[in-house]
Amino acid sequence: MHIHDLITDSASLANLCHRLSDAAFITVDTEFMRENSYWPELCLIQIADENEAAAIDPMADGIDLKPLLDLLVENEDVLKVFHAGGQDIEIVYNLTGKTPYPLFDTQIAAMALGQGEQIGYQNLVETYLGIAVDKGARFTDWSRRPLDKRQIEYAIGDVTHLSVIFPKMLDRLRKTGRGAWLDQEMERIADPANYRNDPEESWRRVRIAGRKPEVLGRLKALARWREIEAQGKDLPRGRIVKDETLADLAGSPPKKQADLARVRGLSAAWAQNDIGARLMAALEGAKPMSTDEMPPRDDRKPGMGKEGALVADLLKLLLKIRARDIDVAAKLLARTEELEALAAGQREGLAMLEGWRYDQFGKDALALVEGRLGFAVKNGRLKMTRAEEE
């Protein structure tokens, strides 16, 4: 494989992207910094196919990234391969308003091949290539220039190894017939809605006790205000106000701006300054949360009861057994909330009752809740057993 020098000019990047536009797939990784900013600061982009690899410096003076971004989001003939690509995809979305498509995530594919729910890149390389990855540059400040040769080699290694692993993984998926299992998961991570920082929805990330509509309404208004402040100042949202302070303000709102001086977690200056005034305006404009928007309860689903909770626990046991027997990550078959919904009597809208999930697990889960399946211990191993017809 040909490894290019660090690409820092528009012409070299355009030529690279022109060649890669004919590839069946490309592997992609990024290095970024986000400790001190709201928006991740893109510091390096690594890209490879089966023949060549390069690192691109997006911080280089005057470099035009458009050919690269077009390759990632406009060219649907080239498959884009990531490993645990959520943050890489978010960066592309922030730059373009679109997500790379079509895409393939090797961490998710590993779930279908029985390699765990969140296998790390280092373990993936050791499993497929028998190579120990040098992680010495992991804590590099990627925004500093110049980058030395070792840092660039480390970064490019992420995509060169992945370009060898992906065909091997694809071959195993074909041989096991499990490639189709991943289609729904890959479509899910390609959905742009996952990467949209919507201030109206930002309250959902804050943990708060209680379910009073007026408290949740204030939390929504405060979280929206904080998100807009953080975006405008390009600061991490926790640098504006921490989650616990936001929850305290929603639960016990100050009556006037001067009271902000006594709120733990806020600067006393907020009692008089503009940001404090904007916080108070957000509180004053808050309305009780509508019934439609109220979050689901954290406890068992309504109507499940104690017996339903026991059934949900049996379904979780069944899921463990089935995942072990077919050597697949349990999370790929069904999620906890689905099991609890099934135990509560829900039958519609559950992914585990459709397609391959139904064949591999859902039909047995239904049989269990309908009394046609039980458990038995045979030779010290827990197995499923069909109930005899009465």
Side-chain angles (χ1 to χ4, degrees):
M1 176 180 288
H2 177 61
I3 309 295
H4 295 277
D5 292 331
L6 181 65
I7 291 180
T8 58
D9 67 279
S10 300
S12 298
L13 178 57
N15 289 334
L16 173 71
C17 294
H18 178 71
R19 293 191 301 273
L20 293 179
S21 66
D22 292 326
F25 72 90
I26 53 175
T27 54
V28 187
D29 189 33
T30 64
E31 308 296 343
F32 55 89
M33 303 292 289
R34 71 184 313 162
E35 287 80 1
N36 298 309
S37 61
Y38 180 92
W39 308 105
E41 181 185 8
L42 179 59
C43 303
L44 202 67
I45 307 161
Q46 305 92 270
I47 194 165
D49 66 0
E50 294 180 279
N51 303 310
E52 60 182 320
I56 299 137
D57 185 359
M59 302 174 73
D61 189 33
I63 192 166
D64 180 8
L65 296 179
K66 188 176 186 303
L68 175 62
L69 296 174
D70 285 349
L71 174 63
L72 292 175
V73 302
E74 303 293 348
N75 187 333
E76 296 190 3
D77 294 327
V78 180
L79 179 68
K80 292 84 184 182
V81 180
F82 298 82
H83 181 78
Q87 295 192 86
D88 307 308
I89 296 166
E90 178 193 358
I91 285 172
V92 174
Y93 175 81
N94 288 342
L95 291 171
T96 65
K98 299 179 181 180
T99 55
Y101 190 84
L103 61 80
F104 184 95
D105 193 308
T106 51
Q107 187 178 70
I108 292 174
M111 293 169 68
L113 296 171
Q115 292 164 334
E117 292 187 358
Q118 287 187 311
I119 186 172
Y121 172 75
Q122 194 170 2
N123 290 337
L124 189 81
V125 174
E126 288 176 0
T127 299
Y128 279 88
L129 305 181
I131 297 172
V133 176
D134 172 20
K135 301 301 283 185
R138 184 170 31 177
F139 300 110
T140 289
D141 179 351
W142 293 103
S143 66
R144 295 185 67 177
R145 293 295 183 270
L147 296 170
D148 63 38
K149 185 178 180 182
R150 178 170 171 266
Q151 290 171 320
I152 296 168
E153 286 178 353
Y154 162 80
I156 291 180
D158 285 351
V159 289
T160 55
H161 292 327
L162 210 55
S163 69
V164 179
I165 290 170
F166 170 67
K168 293 177 182 288
M169 188 171 265
L170 206 56
D171 189 50
R172 287 181 64 177
L173 287 167
R174 287 192 182 114
K175 285 178 179 174
T176 56
R178 295 183 176 186
W181 292 13
L182 298 169
D183 292 346
Q184 188 178 4
E185 295 300 306
M186 300 305 174
E187 288 293 327
R188 181 179 59 81
I189 64 169
D191 184 353
N194 295 324
Y195 310 98
R196 202 170 288 133
N197 286 309
D198 184 356
E200 299 294 339
E201 297 295 316
S202 59
W203 65 273
R204 299 182 187 276
R205 71 174 74 247
V206 183
R207 295 178 65 87
I208 188 169
R211 291 173 49 82
K212 291 182 179 178
E214 59 271 21
V215 173
L216 290 175
R218 287 193 291 267
L219 179 67
K220 180 181 177 181
L222 287 168
R224 177 184 183 278
W225 158 80
R226 180 179 69 167
E227 206 74 6
I228 291 169
E229 293 280 350
Q231 289 177 1
K233 292 178 170 61
D234 194 20
L235 286 172
R237 59 181 66 87
R239 197 79 65 82
I240 305 294
V241 178
K242 294 192 181 304
D243 283 3
E244 52 267 31
T245 305
L246 215 62
D248 288 345
L249 286 166
S252 303
K255 290 184 171 57
K256 55 186 183 299
Q257 187 176 348
D259 296 338
L260 294 178
R262 296 191 294 273
V263 175
R264 188 177 63 178
L266 295 185
S267 164
W270 284 36
Q272 299 175 337
N273 64 14
D274 289 346
I275 194 170
R278 292 195 294 272
L279 185 157
M280 292 304 297
L283 274 175
E284 288 160 12
K287 297 177 182 177
M289 186 167 286
S290 66
T291 305
D292 293 342
E293 206 172 6
M294 290 287 286
R297 293 183 178 274
D298 288 336
D299 53 1
R300 301 284 189 178
K301 295 204 178 293
M304 183 184 286
K306 290 183 178 178
E307 293 301 316
L310 290 173
V311 173
D313 288 338
L314 287 176
L315 285 168
K316 292 170 190 175
L317 179 59
L318 176 66
L319 178 60
K320 283 184 179 179
I321 294 171
R322 172 55 70 188
R324 178 199 68 192
D325 288 348
I326 65 173
D327 193 24
V328 67
K331 192 176 176 181
L332 195 61
L333 287 172
R335 298 177 183 270
T336 299
E337 54 268 29
E338 284 187 285
L339 302 180
E340 293 176 352
L342 185 68
Q346 185 176 332
R347 297 293 184 269
E348 301 297 323
L350 300 179
M352 68 185 207
L353 298 183
E354 300 171 0
W356 69 269
R357 287 183 174 88
Y358 176 76
D359 295 332
Q360 297 296 328
F361 174 71
K363 62 183 178 183
D364 285 337
L366 266 181
L368 178 65
V369 298
E370 292 173 359
R372 293 178 281 111
L373 190 72
F375 298 100
V377 178
K378 190 171 182 180
N379 298 325
R381 190 176 175 90
L382 195 59
K383 289 188 172 287
M384 296 171 287
T385 176
R386 296 281 166 185
E388 293 186 15
E389 296 287 341
E390 293 187 9

